[in-house]
Amino acid sequence: MLLVLLIAVAGLARVLGEHWRQGSVLLGGALLVAAVLRATLPPSRAGLLAIRGRMIDVLCYGGFGVLIVALALTITRGSLAVS
């Protein structure tokens, strides 16, 4: 869980530093890491990554992670800067 949180914090820091695309990819990557960890760790070691059943957790973490990374990589115009 700590690894996932560290990646997510790094992503949030990039978003707050006005590098929203890189931060979004890191946030999506954190979800993908959570999916891999949830799929490979036994239930006694999964800790807070275990919310529901293993398959549901892996599908949700992985699906949302892929969706966030895909959106961050395909949106090429616009910015989050407020003028």
Side-chain angles (χ1 to χ4, degrees):
M1 183 70 180
L2 184 60
L3 176 64
V4 174
L5 284 175
L6 288 174
I7 296 170
V9 167
L12 289 174
R14 293 301 289 170
V15 168
L16 292 174
E18 297 186 12
H19 298 284
W20 66 270
R21 183 173 289 118
Q22 296 165 356
S24 297
V25 170
L26 282 171
L27 288 170
L31 286 170
L32 292 173
V33 169
V36 169
L37 290 174
R38 180 64 174 113
T40 58
L41 290 175
S44 61
R45 300 277 313 202
L48 293 174
L49 293 175
I51 299 173
R52 297 166 200 88
R54 180 180 293 212
M55 187 56 67
I56 297 295
D57 284 343
V58 170
L59 288 174
C60 288
Y61 290 144
F64 286 127
V66 167
L67 182 66
I68 290 172
V69 169
L71 285 173
L73 295 177
T74 57
I75 297 174
T76 57
R77 294 175 41 180
S79 79
L80 293 179
V82 178
S83 301

